[in-house]
Amino acid sequence: MASKFMLRSFRNFTKIQVLVPNIKKVQINQVLSKGNNFAARTFSTSFVKNSNVMKDLSNFLNEEIKLEQEAQKELKNTLTVTGFNVKTDGPNVTLSKKYNDEEITVKFNINGSLDNAEPGVDQMETKNQSTELKSRPAFSIEIKRGEQTLAFGCSFLPAEEAEKDAVEDFQIDEFALHNGEWNENVYTADCSVLDENLYDLLLNLLDERGVGEKFANELVEFSTSYEHKQYINLLEKLQKFTK
């Protein structure tokens, strides 16, 4: 995993979501022919000329759902993370396991987690191009020992900034120790100003419990596949709404 000083400049890395006017319609995705990639969800600027918008939308969704289902076959259909039990509730995912006398829980939400930026390519340059979409959600880790819980807030590094020998990498953004619920009344340490040795020891602590590079890669594969299934499910619900 990346060391402290590699990570600090990415502490406030954010993603921008663009709202598309309702006069636009989604352009049919194209399934990529190589590997496990699938096309980005892009948008066209063509106007809806037919006044029967619901009918047009329903007809479009028929084809869109078929294409997304084909794209799903191109993904690694991975809905497991080694060593963890998985529980899902809509966009919310909980991973849990036992480690000696500790209970380890990882939680994340897939909403807004898609990242289509390619290494070394400016975001504006890829605006109108099909790129691989990956779900890299921020996630929390809790290690419970008795009545106390050591909690971490983590996020993924941009793909181009991960170490060369790791496909995915993450950083610890903050951590706290609490006896019940992690809220604003609990002091939380900002890892961007944490001592380097302490930061590395915390990474080693997580790695010892199975939350390291392999976990990071499996979480991204899981989240990407699960997010796509949820997207297809949303399209199917929208199609029923138009009937």
Side-chain angles (χ1 to χ4, degrees), residues 147-158:
E147 298 300 319
Q148 288 194 309
T149 299
L150 178 58
F152 300 90
C154 303
S155 61
F156 282 95
L157 291 173

Side-chain angles (χ1 to χ4, degrees), residues 16 18 22 64 66 115-116 122-123 202 210 217 234:
I16 301 175
V18 181
N22 58 13
E64 179 72 357
K66 290 178 183 178
D115 177 6
N116 65 346
D122 186 83
Q123 189 77 358
L202 292 175
N217 283 284
L234 176 59

Side-chain angles (χ1 to χ4, degrees), residues 4 38 41 47 71-72 77 124 144 193 225-227:
K4 172 192 172 190
F38 59 100
R41 298 162 198 163
F47 288 87
Q72 183 70 34
N77 194 17
M124 292 301 295
K144 186 176 181 180
V193 293
S225 181
Y226 184 67
E227 193 281 337

Side-chain angles (χ1 to χ4, degrees), residues 36-38 41 68-69 71-81 86 88 90-91 93 108 110 113-114 132-137 216-234:
N36 294 311
N37 298 343
F38 59 100
R41 298 162 198 163
E68 291 294 342
Q69 288 173 337
Q72 183 70 34
K73 296 177 182 178
E74 299 296 319
L75 290 172
K76 289 183 180 179
N77 194 17
T78 305
L79 291 181
T80 61
V81 177
V86 179
T88 60
V93 180
F108 60 92
I110 60 171
S113 65
L114 289 180
E132 180 183 3
L133 290 173
K134 284 191 174 183
S135 173
R136 296 184 175 96
N217 283 284
E218 290 189 2
L219 191 152
V220 169
E221 289 180 2
F222 172 96
S223 188
T224 299
S225 181
Y226 184 67
E227 193 281 337
H228 196 230
K229 285 180 180 292
Q230 292 296 299
Y231 177 64
I232 293 174
N233 184 49
L234 176 59

